[in-house]
Amino acid sequence: MIIPSPHHVEPRPGAFPLHPGRRISCAPGAERAGELLAGYLGLRGANGSAPSIWLELASRGPGPEGYQLDIRPQQVHLTATTETGLLHGVQTLRSLVSGNRLPCLRIRDAPRLPWRGVLLDVARHHMPLEFLHQFVDVMALHKLNVLHLHLTDDQGWRMEIAGWPRLVDVGAWRPESMIGPAGSGEFDGMPHGGYYTQAELRELVRCAAARGVMIVPEIEMPGHVRAALAAYPELGNFPERRLQVWTSWGISEDILGVHDTALAFCRDVLRQVANVFPAPYVHIGGDECPTTQWSNAPSALARAAELGFDDPGRLHGWFLGQMADTLRELGRTAVCWAETGQHAGGMPAGTVVTAWRDAAHGASAIADGHQVIMAPHRSTYLDYRPEEPAGHSGIVTTVADVYGFDPLAGGLPVAAGSRPGVLGAQAQLWTELAPTPDHVRRLAFPRLCAFADTAWRTTAPDYDEFRRRLAVHMDLLDALNALPTTCAETTP
Ligand code: ACM
């Protein structure tokens, strides 16, 4: 009855009783998984009887993230070929505990997709660090293995960057926020802000890795940068213009310049980001970037002329290509949002593409040779309300909509090695209208459970069967304090 559904389960009679005398034995390489399990089962510091829960690395098993679990009345045996596999097995054990017992069974399990991501937008609303730690742990429970942390946007810059203090002194704060959707004209009059130090982010990375979760940071460019421009106007196209950190939502025409100062800034930020986040991927945005300012700013026109571009719009692909090159030198792969029209201008080769508008963009990026993360908004934008009335998008995305999402629809291939294909799927928690952790929890659950099942399971979808598992799983989430308590409703 767990989420996500394991690939193969063989139930057996009986149960393994958990009591404080139980000892966990970890073979070399399994120590971190054992420590995590001990914490979850309350066995930390226990000694006494002979080991009865064994964790070990094996030479053979079901894929790099797979694991095998054998629970008998006297013994629990968890094996995997990697630490990641063991960590997933630990989450299965955590989910199986019922009445201080583990049911006897055998499980052989592995995911269908390597990237099972969640975007959390901490730019529109800063989220407390403790919530990020809890969120990562609840992601791990669902075997969601990528936290795409959206760290910067028009409304806030949330990561401390050495040598650029105004990014957080100025860019992390705004005097108020628009209430309701873009263009509502209503503001709350309440200052908002906050940021994370590099040390705090490193510690988050460490805790996430101990749970098998990779954090992929996103630094938005060349659009969605008003917070950076408020801090350092010289990064823009019209350095004499003074901007505030944006208090509204929507798409801003204020974007980065393409002059040497702006490029040097971005490279410095990416170097520091790569230093804090060891993930092989860094997301550099690229979405919703009107290029009007590049058609008017003398420095941008000069850059376009120098590059022989008669259309300054081509600077968009060029800019992303420059940053993808910088990341390649740092040993990282750039990830960009698929954008309408971007393909004509050329999505930089070798970048991973997040297909957010619709799955067709993902399919065409695969045809162009890219690896793709499927994130079509109608199925994966959890900021859309789960029930009527629809929120600011006008779209309702129900639990069933999310569950019914198939990232491989149309027979798309799973990306293997460096070959093009679907690398994975991702759910999005944008927070324009989610000011607190409880708002985020309300948007996430239970739809994130449906997403996790979709991204992991290899069995055919069965919505009624999923709802039965979900009912049990919601009790577990409640026990973990993962569900909202204070806010009755998300703001429309
Ligand atoms: C996006 O929703 N602008 C990626």
Side-chain angles (χ1 to χ4, degrees):
M1 293 300 269
I2 74 169
I3 290 176
S5 187
H7 175 65
H8 180 78
V9 184
E10 213 180 293
R12 290 192 179 139
F16 173 90
L18 283 164
H19 53 71
R22 292 296 193 194
R23 202 151 72 81
I24 301 176
S25 166
C26 303
E31 297 86 353
R32 227 165 38 150
E35 198 179 311
L36 190 65
L37 182 64
Y40 288 150
L41 301 186
L43 300 181
R44 200 180 295 281
N47 50 23
S49 57
S52 41
I53 303 176
W54 296 81
L55 272 61
E56 59 191 341
L57 291 173
S59 55
R60 281 151 54 115
E65 285 194 82
Y67 64 92
Q68 297 189 85
L69 184 59
D70 188 349
I71 306 178
R72 298 161 188 255
Q74 304 302 328
Q75 201 180 73
V76 173
H77 200 183
L78 171 62
T79 62
T81 57
T82 63
E83 184 191 50
T84 307
L86 290 175
L87 292 170
H88 292 323
V90 163
Q91 297 297 340
T92 294
L93 284 167
R94 182 190 192 188
S95 303
L96 283 171
V97 176
S98 170
N100 227 24
R101 292 142 57 94
L102 289 164
C104 288
L105 48 67
R106 269 168 70 112
I107 289 179
R108 188 180 163 84
D109 196 12
R112 67 165 167 165
L113 295 171
W115 178 303
R116 301 173 304 281
V118 187
L119 174 144
L120 182 60
D121 172 8
V122 294
R124 271 52 175 272
H125 281 98
H126 174 261
M127 294 290 152
L129 202 57
E130 313 81 74
F131 172 66
L132 299 192
H133 280 268
Q134 187 206 32
F135 192 75
V136 161
D137 186 55
V138 176
M139 279 181 62
L141 175 73
H142 294 89
K143 302 186 176 82
L144 295 165
N145 64 342
V146 181
L147 174 61
H148 171 168
L149 200 56
H150 186 76
L151 284 163
T152 69
D153 213 302
D154 294 311
Q155 296 81 8
W157 183 286
R158 307 285 173 223
M159 177 176 172
E160 168 193 55
I161 300 291
W164 302 88
R166 287 174 59 83
L167 287 174
V168 293
D169 290 349
V170 173
W173 310 95
R174 60 176 188 258
E176 58 182 352
S177 308
M178 186 171 272
I179 309 171
S184 77
E186 265 188 83
F187 293 84
D188 64 1
M190 295 202 323
H192 177 82
Y195 66 92
Y196 312 107
T197 66
Q198 294 196 8
E200 287 169 338
L201 291 170
R202 277 203 177 86
E203 177 60 10
L204 184 65
V205 164
R206 191 192 65 76
C207 292
R211 286 160 176 73
V213 177
M214 160 171 83
I215 303 189
V216 172
E218 179 181 359
I219 303 294
E220 267 270 15
M221 55 183 80
H224 284 282
V225 289
R226 274 187 59 157
L229 296 181
Y232 295 102
E234 65 269 30
L235 300 175
N237 290 289
F238 302 101
E240 67 287 357
R241 287 192 194 163
R242 292 292 171 270
L243 293 170
Q244 270 200 327
V245 174
W246 212 15
T247 52
S248 300
W249 320 122
I251 299 176
S252 171
E253 294 217 330
D254 293 294
I255 65 171
L256 288 173
V258 281
H259 43 71
D260 292 346
T261 308
L263 294 176
F265 164 77
C266 292
R267 292 194 170 109
D268 189 13
V269 169
L270 292 179
R271 267 189 289 273
Q272 295 192 41
V273 163
N275 224 352
V276 170
F277 296 94
Y281 303 97
V282 175
H283 207 297
I284 53 173
D287 61 314
E288 297 180 326
C289 179
T291 54
T292 330
Q293 291 194 341
W294 290 343
S295 296
N296 297 307
S299 61
L301 290 168
R303 180 70 83 189
E306 171 199 318
L307 294 165
F309 294 166
D310 39 7
D311 171 11
R314 286 183 62 192
L315 289 165
H316 183 246
W318 174 82
F319 183 101
L320 293 174
Q322 292 292 301
M323 294 307 130
D325 287 348
T326 295
L327 286 170
R328 199 170 300 118
E329 284 158 22
L330 294 163
R332 311 304 164 91
T333 298
V335 189
C336 308
W337 296 105
E339 201 48 319
T340 313
Q342 202 170 40
H343 285 120
M347 196 71 160
T351 50
V352 170
V353 173
T354 315
W356 64 282
R357 289 188 190 271
D358 61 61
H361 281 121
S364 80
I366 291 170
D368 287 349
H370 294 276
Q371 297 198 338
V372 167
I373 298 150
M374 286 296 192
H377 70 114
R378 284 182 167 270
S379 325
T380 69
Y381 272 37
L382 304 187
D383 54 313
Y384 296 176
R385 285 173 56 102
E387 71 282 300
E388 296 288 353
H392 73 293
S393 68
I395 299 170
V396 169
T397 298
T398 64
V399 180
D401 291 334
V402 178
Y403 183 81
F405 163 55
D406 180 3
L408 301 178
L412 292 173
V414 176
S418 58
R419 285 204 296 278
V422 175
L423 189 57
Q426 188 167 284
Q428 276 56 235
L429 286 161
W430 299 108
T431 59
E432 287 97 327
L433 307 181
T436 69
D438 255 4
H439 288 89
V440 173
R441 293 181 183 111
R442 189 166 294 281
L443 291 173
F445 301 112
R447 290 179 300 170
L448 194 57
C449 312
F451 175 79
D453 213 64
T454 297
W456 179 279
R457 70 164 184 259
T458 42
T459 48
D462 178 343
Y463 188 61
D464 291 336
E465 187 270 348
F466 167 74
R467 292 297 313 202
R468 288 194 292 276
R469 278 186 288 129
L470 183 61
V472 176
H473 184 76
M474 289 301 276
D475 289 341
L476 174 57
L477 290 182
D478 194 23
L480 296 175
N481 295 319
L483 301 180
T485 51
T486 57
C487 70
E489 266 295 310
T490 48
T491 39

